[in-house]
Amino acid sequence: MSNPPKSATHKRARRVKLADVATAAGVHYSTVSRVLRPGFKGRISDDVAERVRAVARELGYQPNAVASSLRTQSTRSIGLIVHDMNDPIYPPILSGIESVLSPDGYAVLVGNTGYGADAELDLVNRMAARLVDGIFLATTRLKDPAVERCVQLGIPLVSVLRQTESGTTPAVMNDCFRGMEALTSHIIDAGHRDIAAIIAPQDLSTAQERWQGVQSAMRKHGLDLPEHRIARVSRMSTEEGERATKSLLDAATEPPGVIICVNDLVAIGAIRACRLSGLDVPWDISISGYNDIPLMDMINPPLSTVHMHLDKIGKAAGEMMLEYLANPELPARTQRFKPEVILRGSLQGVHPQG
Amino acid sequence: MSNPPKSATHKRARRVKLADVATAAGVHYSTVSRVLRPGFKGRISDDVAERVRAVARELGYQPNAVASSLRTQSTRSIGLIVHDMNDPIYPPILSGIESVLSPDGYAVLVGNTGYGADAELDLVNRMAARLVDGIFLATTRLKDPAVERCVQLGIPLVSVLRQTESGTTPAVMNDCFRGMEALTSHIIDAGHRDIAAIIAPQDLSTAQERWQGVQSAMRKHGLDLPEHRIARVSRMSTEEGERATKSLLDAATEPPGVIICVNDLVAIGAIRACRLSGLDVPWDISISGYNDIPLMDMINPPLSTVHMHLDKIGKAAGEMMLEYLANPELPARTQRFKPEVILRGSLQGVHPQG
DNA sequence: ATAACTTGCACAAACGTTTGCGCAAAGCTG
DNA sequence: CAGCTTTGCGCAAACGTTTGTGCAAGTTAT
């Protein structure tokens, strides 16, 4: 009955499978499968179904998802590709996605690219090998081989936060252009004229749209941004923000009146750099961010920024994925969430709300 | 040659499989498998191997991980169960784990329990059904059915951050007792005598150890903590911290001199609550946290706390998992990282470092 | 009572791998 | 050159499901 105690070898307990339930219930294993499949309405008598269910429960049967996947060609798992989970914009996205997909039995596979373009493609390939049912790509660049690869492989793809140049990918995003344009307008309206900007690589739609938003607002107000008031970061991190800010401050004898940062992390770095240079924020220099990641109201000074509704974006992305999974023929749709300007103490001259 | 264009139906492209490569290379598909398996040193002639590899590359063959898993009974995927990815302690853990496991071809499945005990067990079951090779449990309670279930199922388990009562689970954690004891000692040494504490449910080792650390330090200094200086949170969140702090302030006519919070998020809530009550931190009241999550040096006031080295814990957990995967018979080992007290402006009377 | 359905279940073929085994051909030993 | 060992590869059986088909019963219609 019990296997001989092979030393302390507590080997992986043999799982109960369909056949075990079947023999115990005295039916064929295909019958067990039909009974246990969700959405079973087939031609099985009630008493057999009940008996099978009872036996299955008693034996603690749990279907082997791998075998099921092999047969059905669906793993009920989806991938999420991000730059780095340590960037605070991603956890709410993950949570949102998970909260929508998990009730439907989907599992989420997370992959960090570490900001590497080849890592991105590699992750898509590895996820494809795992037969994920779909992929959320949060690292989408304007021209992105990873997107093309998904299309080529026929894997449903939902781009999160960002969009490709062609705009032909299903996507859920924030309207970064309007957000940054509105924020910049507020800054100008507050009287700022000597404006600097820290911008990010323009191969990401977020970075591009925000930069265009800044430019648009300034143009509308007849202002210009000289080259020495522009700094570039290689990625949106505090370290890069700090470095870029130093270079901005070094590029001219007088510091700018305000630095518009491509996102909050960069803004944090900017605040650090300013402080190290002996500049007080906001008395000597103003700073703004983008995203409104957690705690931006608690830092010193509280950061003016643009709220993204990341949780809503995550949920919406999850729902959009479900739609495309149900109907892959659906035309690509881009859903944009309205950004919300948040004015706080880091900007001299504006009137902080609530 | 090409299939007729079935309307606009861009169906999922048929994947190239072993058999396709085999016929193209003029060998049996088992041979292809042998050639392509990593660690192939079997009895295949060099020229056949080369030919097969060439054909495989040309056809863009990628092995079907699901089929492979079914056969090998290993999915090369591992689960990570957390309360909520939005808690900033988890992303570094995830990143650390992923950075160690991903090079070995493992994928990470993330599950949020939403602080639900039954959700935890459910997640374990769902991951077990997916035949994960191992599970990281970051939600481990002192008595945890999920842990028992893993043991019962024979699934390698590494507990992260927390430990069970018996201590028989492989675990990587911070020494919360010493960390909190040291921090409390600093606080007492700074002259604080009217101390309050916000503690969390004692079914988590982290919460328990920290509370014991506070008590130990106070006992050593001959101090006592009256009941009205103790508040409890149901979970370690800012909201709960705010609520608990209010109740603390309401419980006595005079506010305490310092509130020792079970973690940083709770401390953030405490700062908010104090501010709302018109108390200045740290002039009217001091506050400390635990974890040293990002930005704790940037908030107002900078938070005194204990640094956890979460990234190291994540990496160590990953490495420990690899060990147990390679050798499941290994006795359970608990690895503890040394905490580091970080003194900042939120504590009146201490001397902030660097 | 016979024909034509319907119902309830068993049969068996996939899904795409991995891997023990078998068997030729080739290489070696004496 | 006979006998033995090694080498190189094909064969086929798993792994645990899902699902189309088949075939006895049972049911209804004529």
Side-chain angles (χ1 to χ4, degrees):
Chain A
M1 190 117 301
S2 57
N3 25 13
K6 297 186 57 179
S7 74
T9 312
H10 53 99
K11 52 169 50 187
R12 200 130 174 177
R14 202 182 70 86
R15 290 174 56 89
V16 178
K17 54 184 184 176
L18 273 187
D20 300 326
V21 179
T23 52
V27 295
H28 194 261
Y29 62 93
S30 64
T31 304
V32 180
S33 173
R34 275 186 247 266
V35 170
L36 264 33
R37 258 327 70 199
F40 138 73
K41 47 172 74 72
R43 339 175 126 289
I44 310 275
S45 66
D46 287 353
D47 52 342
V48 166
E50 213 33 73
R51 181 153 42 99
V52 167
R53 265 191 277 266
V55 172
R57 206 174 314 121
E58 190 181 340
L59 266 54
Y61 171 73
Q62 270 214 319
N64 181 320
V66 173
S68 169
S69 295
L70 180 60
R71 175 61 222 237
T72 61
Q73 304 287 43
S74 157
T75 54
R76 293 227 145 218
S77 63
I78 53 105
L80 169 62
I81 299 178
V82 300
H83 286 131
D84 180 355
M85 256 303 153
N86 288 306
D87 188 322
I89 61 172
Y90 294 124
I93 301 275
L94 171 56
S95 293
I97 287 175
E98 214 237 358
S99 71
V100 172
L101 258 43
S102 171
D104 279 24
Y106 286 90
V108 182
L109 255 65
V110 177
N112 295 318
T113 67
Y115 299 92
D118 38 350
E120 190 188 345
L121 192 54
D122 186 51
L123 273 172
V124 167
N125 282 329
R126 286 166 65 160
M127 288 180 174
R130 288 175 179 275
L131 301 192
V132 293
D133 290 352
I135 291 182
F136 292 100
L137 196 60
T139 58
T140 317
R141 285 162 294 158
L142 288 168
K143 292 179 196 289
D144 200 324
V147 172
E148 288 169 27
R149 182 94 178 114
C150 285
V151 172
Q152 175 193 343
L153 291 167
I155 301 179
L157 172 71
V158 170
S159 182
V160 194
L161 296 178
R162 318 183 206 275
Q163 175 61 295
T164 55
E165 193 172 31
S166 64
T168 53
T169 309
V172 181
M173 45 195 306
N174 173 266
D175 192 336
C176 290
F177 176 81
R178 289 194 195 292
M180 193 55 111
E181 192 186 39
L183 176 62
T184 305
S185 291
H186 271 99
I187 291 173
I188 297 173
D189 290 346
H192 288 282
R193 288 300 174 270
D194 188 358
I195 297 176
I198 299 181
I199 67 181
Q202 297 293 297
D203 59 345
L204 292 177
S205 66
T206 40
Q208 190 190 49
E209 287 187 16
R210 289 175 203 171
W211 177 215
Q212 291 173 346
V214 172
Q215 292 175 299
S216 166
M218 295 193 66
R219 217 178 302 116
K220 281 185 184 170
H221 289 77
L223 294 175
D224 193 43
L225 207 56
E227 183 58 32
H228 71 279
R229 290 306 195 203
I230 303 173
R232 290 165 177 81
V233 289
S234 64
R235 71 178 65 160
M236 307 188 208
S237 67
T238 56
E239 294 79 8
E240 276 289 282
E242 192 167 339
R243 194 196 51 70
T245 303
K246 274 187 201 134
S247 80
L248 262 186
L249 297 178
D250 290 346
T253 52
E254 283 295 300
V258 56
I259 304 179
I260 297 177
C261 300
V262 65
N263 84 344
D264 291 345
L265 290 181
V266 168
I268 302 283
I271 293 177
R272 286 208 176 113
C274 289
R275 208 161 276 167
L276 287 175
S277 297
L279 296 172
D280 183 273
V281 185
W283 300 117
D284 300 324
I285 187 170
S286 291
I287 285 176
S288 74
Y290 202 105
N291 286 0
D292 195 29
I293 58 176
L295 299 181
M296 289 306 97
D297 58 329
M298 294 293 289
I299 65 172
N300 181 23
L303 189 68
S304 288
T305 184
V306 180
H307 191 78
M308 292 262 272
H309 299 289
L310 289 169
D311 43 354
K312 284 187 196 167
I313 292 181
K315 280 202 172 124
E319 282 154 10
M320 186 177 283
M321 180 61 85
L322 286 180
E323 286 177 34
Y324 283 100
L325 289 176
N327 182 4
E329 317 301 336
L330 236 49
R333 184 165 57 90
T334 298
Q335 188 175 355
R336 285 177 177 271
F337 279 79
K338 231 166 94 176
E340 196 178 329
V341 174
I342 310 277
L343 300 178
R344 300 198 185 99
S346 71
L347 284 177
Q348 179 79 274
V350 303
H351 305 288
Q353 314 119 310
Chain B
M1 190 116 298
S2 57
N3 24 12
K6 295 186 59 178
S7 74
T9 311
H10 53 101
K11 54 169 48 186
R12 200 128 174 177
R14 201 183 71 85
R15 290 175 57 90
V16 177
K17 55 182 183 177
L18 273 187
D20 300 325
V21 178
T23 52
V27 296
H28 193 261
Y29 63 93
S30 65
T31 304
V32 180
S33 173
R34 275 186 251 263
V35 171
L36 266 32
R37 260 323 72 198
F40 138 73
K41 48 173 72 70
R43 338 175 128 289
I44 310 277
S45 65
D46 288 352
D47 53 341
V48 166
E50 212 35 71
R51 181 152 43 99
V52 166
R53 263 192 278 266
V55 172
R57 208 175 312 123
E58 190 181 342
L59 266 54
Y61 171 75
Q62 272 215 317
N64 182 321
V66 173
S68 168
S69 295
L70 179 58
R71 175 58 222 239
T72 62
Q73 303 287 44
S74 157
T75 54
R76 291 225 148 221
S77 63
I78 53 102
L80 168 63
I81 299 178
V82 300
H83 286 132
D84 179 356
M85 257 301 152
N86 288 306
D87 188 320
I89 62 171
Y90 294 123
I93 302 274
L94 170 56
S95 293
I97 288 175
E98 214 236 359
S99 72
V100 172
L101 258 44
S102 171
D104 279 23
Y106 286 89
V108 182
L109 256 67
V110 177
N112 296 318
T113 66
Y115 300 90
D118 39 350
E120 189 187 345
L121 192 55
D122 186 50
L123 273 173
V124 167
N125 282 328
R126 287 166 63 159
M127 289 181 173
R130 288 174 179 275
L131 302 192
V132 294
D133 290 352
I135 290 182
F136 293 100
L137 197 61
T139 59
T140 317
R141 285 162 294 158
L142 288 167
K143 293 180 195 286
D144 200 324
V147 172
E148 288 168 26
R149 182 90 178 115
C150 284
V151 173
Q152 175 193 345
L153 291 168
I155 301 179
L157 173 72
V158 171
S159 182
V160 193
L161 295 177
R162 319 184 205 274
Q163 176 61 295
T164 55
E165 192 171 33
S166 63
T168 53
T169 309
V172 180
M173 44 192 310
N174 173 267
D175 192 335
C176 290
F177 176 80
R178 289 194 195 292
M180 193 57 112
E181 192 185 38
L183 176 64
T184 305
S185 290
H186 271 100
I187 291 172
I188 297 172
D189 290 345
H192 288 283
R193 288 298 174 273
D194 188 358
I195 298 175
I198 299 181
I199 68 181
Q202 298 294 298
D203 58 346
L204 292 178
S205 66
T206 42
Q208 191 190 50
E209 288 187 15
R210 290 176 202 171
W211 177 213
Q212 290 174 345
V214 171
Q215 290 174 300
S216 166
M218 295 192 67
R219 218 177 302 115
K220 282 185 184 171
H221 289 78
L223 295 175
D224 194 42
L225 205 57
E227 183 60 31
H228 71 278
R229 290 305 195 202
I230 303 173
R232 290 164 177 82
V233 289
S234 63
R235 70 177 69 159
M236 306 186 208
S237 66
T238 56
E239 294 78 9
E240 275 291 283
E242 192 168 338
R243 193 196 52 68
T245 303
K246 274 188 202 130
S247 82
L248 263 186
L249 296 178
D250 290 348
T253 51
E254 283 296 298
V258 55
I259 303 179
I260 297 177
C261 300
V262 65
N263 82 345
D264 291 345
L265 290 180
V266 168
I268 302 281
I271 293 177
R272 286 210 176 110
C274 288
R275 209 162 274 167
L276 287 174
S277 297
L279 296 172
D280 182 274
V281 185
W283 300 119
D284 300 326
I285 186 170
S286 290
I287 285 176
S288 74
Y290 203 107
N291 287 359
D292 194 29
I293 58 176
L295 299 181
M296 290 304 97
D297 57 331
M298 295 292 291
I299 66 172
N300 181 21
L303 189 68
S304 288
T305 183
V306 179
H307 190 78
M308 291 261 272
H309 300 288
L310 289 169
D311 43 355
K312 285 187 195 167
I313 292 182
K315 281 205 171 116
E319 281 153 11
M320 185 177 283
M321 180 61 84
L322 286 180
E323 286 177 34
Y324 283 99
L325 289 176
N327 183 4
E329 316 301 336
L330 236 48
R333 183 167 57 91
T334 297
Q335 188 176 355
R336 285 178 177 268
F337 278 80
K338 229 167 96 176
E340 195 178 329
V341 174
I342 309 276
L343 300 178
R344 300 199 185 98
S346 71
L347 284 179
Q348 179 79 274
V350 302
H351 306 288
Q353 315 118 310

